[in-house]
């Protein structure tokens, strides 16, 4: 059984499952170079097929995540194309008129017509751009998507199936890890096919939906407050989360009550306590004159406490104390840490990249789950967990050598061939900052060593250098470490033995961790979002960290994604060398070659 999973909304992606195992997964943004790209992910699909060494004719089914997508937003690639000014424009010229002036038939598309160069080029949008929220048009768009996928991939329509958005999240969170026990599956996000919050149970591999709502606005509140802080919604919520620990209790307590009065827990879900006309203008008025850090701290506290109350309520009513948490809100790692630190809650399991980018994987799992329900016990197919996220495009060393020769890089750079990991470890230990573009690309939000910027985690001054001269990002944002699996307990406290391979969980640090990871933990609250590395998962990266430990006695490296601010993570050697040429990185490490800047 071969299944090709497709997600064509924002953060579009493709995944390939063969005999119940995910063998490839790619995000379209890595190929198009448009962060958060939308639409039919043709380049990602082709890469997945190439990785699996199959043609589209070998595929038994195409599993498409989500029945409903808004054609207007997809056409203009809203989340990918919008600047902060565009988001404000949307609020002022569309939503304000809808909520406050009661104008119901404003042409949303006309507000942004001719604003963007990168528009969707695959789907047929004829007669679909006049209204923003028309359910009949959204239903019609599903038929257009089906037609387009079939035509562009030369694949029969009767072998293309659409799967419910929320359930793709749920089956991804359940099947990702090997430990699959009875528990409560919870989604919380901006919007899915039928909800923005759902609660169900998984018992003996069977899922039952217990409750859902469209009033669970945890994600929207965090999104609009991110915008009010001058940052991009649906991309920069992590910046709000990173800013929150700097706030004093005094500033948080001034703002928190205004958030707390909006939502409440009712039975198995979240609904309004006090419903404002809208969320953006409501909070804009209330927060006028408030400190920016206090706002960030208050909304983080609000998310944590509301989730805790919600999860405890679900535990009480459903008599289960294990949680599978997914959707955009689940990507708030500090909230997940808060939940796992709650004494009365069992394990809260969050898979990596729990938002929409992994819907293509979830669609594959959803498809296999349904097929197994139709089979007798002895005929059921094994559904494999995902051991690592190195599921993407793989470098070809010859391409790199040819590029270096063609562009005569040896005239401008020091070229080191057939190096050993000790050589790279020594470079890092001397305070230099390198990029690493090796092996298969990671899927998801986090760089896990193969498309990473690496540095000495002991040197606090490294933070400023990377932030200002390389990543060009906000000064308050923390970095994270990759640590040897066997040394993990030296650096942080993991009381519930949560999987920390993917930088999707946060923990409190130990005294040793605070001392030796000064540049790779949060400077304000000393929390850590680690990647533990086993040799069996990534031999060359493990050997590099081990070599660094042999020199420094610290089995960890500072690890941040290999990209410039606002750009997707590097795909290949061309992207990696562009970053080297346009930043203060000292070197770029490939599988067999180091390209190093010559000292003046």
């Amino acid at each position: 059984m071969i299944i090709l999973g497709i997600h064509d909304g924002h953060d579009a992606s493709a995944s390939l499952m063969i005999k119940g195992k995910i063998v490839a997964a790619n995000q379209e943004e890595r190929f198009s170079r448009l962060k958060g790209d939308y639409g039919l992910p043709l380049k990602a699909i082709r890469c997945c097929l190439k990785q699996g060494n199959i043609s589209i004719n070998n595929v038994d089914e195409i599993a498409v995540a989500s029945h409903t997508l808004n054609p207007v937003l997809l056409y203009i690639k809203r989340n990918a194309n919008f600047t902060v000014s565009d988001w404000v424009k949307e609020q002022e010229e569309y939503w304000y008129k809808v909520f406050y002036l009661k104008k119901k038939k404003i042409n949303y598309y006309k507000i942004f017509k001719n604003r963007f160069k990168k528009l969707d080029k695959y789907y047929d949008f004829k007669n679909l751009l006049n209204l923003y929220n028309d359910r009949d048009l959204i239903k019609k768009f599903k038929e257009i998507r089906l037609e387009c996928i079939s035509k562009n991939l030369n694949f029969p329509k009767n072998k293309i199936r659409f799967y419910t958005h929320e359930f793709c999240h749920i089956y991804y969170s359940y099947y990702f890890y090997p430990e699959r026990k009875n528990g409560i599956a919870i989604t919380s996000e901006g919007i899915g096919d039928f909800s923005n919050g759902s609660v169900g149970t998984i018992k003996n591999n069977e899922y039952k939906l217990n409750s859902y709502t469209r009033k669970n606005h945890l994600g929207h509140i965090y999104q609009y407050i991110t915008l009010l802080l001058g940052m991009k919604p649906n991309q920069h919520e992590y910046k709000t989360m990173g800013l929150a620990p700097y706030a004093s209790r005094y500033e948080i307590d001034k703002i928190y009550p205004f958030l707390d009065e909006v939502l409440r827990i009712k039975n198995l879900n979240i609904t309004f306590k006090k419903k404002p006309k809208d969320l953006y203008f409501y909070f804009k008025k209330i927060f006028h004159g408030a400190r920016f850090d206090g706002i960030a701290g208050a909304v983080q506290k609000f998310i944590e406490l509301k989730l805790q109350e919600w999860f405890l309520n679900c535990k009480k009513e459903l008599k289960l104390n294990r949680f599978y948490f997914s959707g955009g809100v689940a990507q708030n790692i500090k909230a997940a840490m808060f939940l796992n630190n709650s004494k009365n809650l069992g394990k809260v399991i969050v898979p990596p990249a729990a938002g929409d980018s992994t819907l293509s994987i979830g669609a594959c799992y959803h498809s296999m789950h349904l097929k197994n329900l139709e089979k007798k016990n002895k005929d059921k197919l094994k559904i494999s967990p995902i051991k690592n996220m190195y599921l993407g495009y793989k470098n070809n060393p010859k391409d790199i050598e040819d590029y270096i020769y063609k562009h005569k890089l040896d005239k401008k750079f020091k070229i080191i061939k057939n190096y050993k990991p000790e050589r790279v470890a020594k470079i890092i230990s001397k305070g230099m900052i390198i990029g690493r573009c090796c092996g298969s690309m990671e899927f998801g939000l986090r760089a896990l060593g193969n498309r990473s910027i690496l540095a000495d985690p002991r040197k606090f001054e490294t933070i400023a250098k990377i932030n200002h001269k390389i990543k060009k990002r906000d000064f308050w944002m923390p970095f994270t470490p990759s640590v040897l699996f066997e040394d993990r307990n030296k650096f942080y406290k993991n009381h519930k033995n949560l999987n920390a391979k993917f930088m999707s969980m946060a923990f409190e640090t130990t005294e040793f961790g605070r001392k030796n990871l000064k540049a790779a933990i949060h400077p304000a609250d000393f929390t850590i979002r680690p990647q533990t590395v086993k040799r069996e998962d990534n031999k060359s990266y493990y050997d590099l960290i081990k070599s660094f430990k042999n020199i420094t006695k610290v089995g960890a490296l500072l690890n941040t994604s290999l990209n410039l601010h606002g750009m997707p993570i590097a795909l290949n050697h061309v992207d990696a060398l562009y970053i080297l040429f346009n930043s203060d990185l000292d070197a770029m490490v490939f599988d067999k070659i180091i390209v190093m800047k010559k000292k003046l």
Side-chain angles (χ1 to χ4, degrees), residues 225-495:
I225 288 177
T226 296
L227 178 58
L228 288 168
L229 290 171
M231 298 177 289
K232 288 179 68 172
N234 294 316
Q235 281 195 22
H236 291 166
E237 282 78 2
Y238 71 95
K239 294 185 179 184
T240 302
M241 181 181 68
L243 177 60
Y246 291 98
S248 68
R249 181 176 295 179
Y250 172 75
E251 294 296 338
I252 291 173
D253 289 346
K254 285 196 298 184
I255 296 165
Y256 176 78
F258 297 106
L259 288 157
D260 188 47
E261 68 182 7
V262 175
L263 297 178
R264 66 187 177 98
I265 311 301
K266 183 179 180 182
N267 300 323
L268 288 178
N269 228 306
I270 297 176
T271 189
F272 283 112
K273 181 193 298 183
K274 175 185 176 182
K275 185 179 181 181
K277 282 187 178 181
D278 85 306
L279 295 171
Y280 175 80
F281 292 102
Y282 175 75
F283 287 121
K284 182 179 181 180
K285 181 179 179 180
I286 285 176
F287 294 159
H288 182 71
R291 277 178 58 101
F292 67 99
D293 55 341
I295 294 171
V299 73
Q300 182 63 31
K301 177 182 177 180
F302 168 73
I303 289 289
E304 290 172 359
L305 292 179
K306 278 289 176 280
L307 286 174
Q308 182 187 56
E309 185 183 355
W310 183 21
F311 279 48
L312 285 169
N313 227 42
C314 292
K315 170 194 169 184
K316 181 180 178 181
E317 292 202 25
L318 298 175
K319 311 299 183 188
L320 290 166
N321 198 19
R322 180 184 184 86
F323 300 88
Y324 300 95
F325 189 25
S326 57
V329 176
Q331 294 180 143
N332 190 309
I333 61 162
K334 297 298 281 294
M337 182 182 79
F338 183 82
L339 293 172
N340 272 306
N341 286 344
S342 300
K343 293 181 180 179
N344 295 322
L345 287 176
K347 274 190 179 181
V348 178
I349 296 163
V350 182
D356 284 4
S357 61
T358 50
L359 283 172
S360 62
I361 299 178
C364 292
Y365 279 135
H366 191 356
S367 173
M368 286 295 292
H369 180 88
L370 291 181
K371 286 172 176 54
N372 272 346
L373 289 180
E374 297 168 357
K375 295 178 179 291
K376 296 179 180 179
N377 284 334
K378 64 178 181 179
D379 297 323
K380 289 186 185 297
L381 299 168
K382 181 182 178 181
I383 302 179
S384 300
I386 295 177
K387 291 184 178 180
N388 63 63
M389 294 297 274
Y390 305 112
L391 297 167
Y393 170 89
K394 188 174 183 178
N395 281 319
N396 184 337
K398 187 178 184 303
D399 291 341
I400 298 164
E401 290 180 15
D402 291 346
Y403 188 93
I404 291 171
Y405 177 78
K406 179 181 178 181
H407 294 275
K408 299 179 180 180
L409 295 187
D410 59 324
K411 304 294 183 183
K412 300 178 182 178
F413 298 88
K414 184 179 180 180
I415 307 299
I416 305 168
K417 296 184 177 182
N418 300 316
Y419 64 89
K420 292 185 178 181
E422 292 82 4
R423 184 75 178 266
V424 182
K426 191 172 182 180
I427 292 170
I428 297 172
S429 69
K430 288 182 177 180
M432 286 184 258
I433 301 171
I434 70 161
R436 186 172 190 269
C437 184
C438 297
S440 298
M441 177 176 62
E442 305 91 333
F443 183 86
L445 304 172
R446 310 299 177 202
L448 301 171
N450 283 4
R451 299 294 186 278
S452 292
I453 291 172
L454 305 174
D456 189 335
R458 302 170 301 165
K459 302 178 185 296
F460 189 77
E461 61 270 22
T462 301
I463 296 175
K465 185 175 180 181
I466 299 178
N467 270 340
H468 298 310
K469 296 185 178 182
I470 299 172
K471 296 281 280 189
K472 312 275 192 304
R473 66 179 202 163
D474 304 290
F475 68 90
W476 67 80
M477 291 305 298
F479 290 107
T480 55
S482 297
V483 304
L484 297 176
F485 179 80
E486 60 267 28
D487 288 352
R488 65 196 185 282
N489 293 328
K490 292 181 181 180
F491 296 112
Y492 62 91
K493 304 168 185 176
N494 185 358
H495 301 300

Side-chain angles (χ1 to χ4, degrees), residues 42 100 112 253 336 411 446 460 552 562 584:
L42 273 183
Y100 292 91
F112 298 102
D253 289 346
K411 304 294 183 183
R446 310 299 177 202
F460 189 77
T552 65
L562 183 59
D584 281 359

Side-chain angles (χ1 to χ4, degrees), residues 181-247:
K181 297 181 179 179
N182 293 350
I184 301 169
I186 290 181
T187 65
S188 183
E189 58 185 327
I191 194 64
D193 276 334
F194 62 85
S195 73
N196 57 11
S198 74
V199 177
T201 56
I202 297 180
K203 296 180 180 179
N204 302 318
N205 288 337
E206 292 193 16
Y207 171 76
K208 176 186 176 184
L209 177 65
N210 294 89
S211 177
Y212 65 91
T213 182
R214 297 176 74 92
K215 297 177 182 179
N216 182 338
H217 290 289
L218 291 176
H220 285 135
I221 289 174
Y222 212 96
Q223 169 187 326
Y224 291 131
I225 288 177
T226 296
L227 178 58
L228 288 168
L229 290 171
M231 298 177 289
K232 288 179 68 172
N234 294 316
Q235 281 195 22
H236 291 166
E237 282 78 2
Y238 71 95
K239 294 185 179 184
T240 302
M241 181 181 68
L243 177 60
Y246 291 98

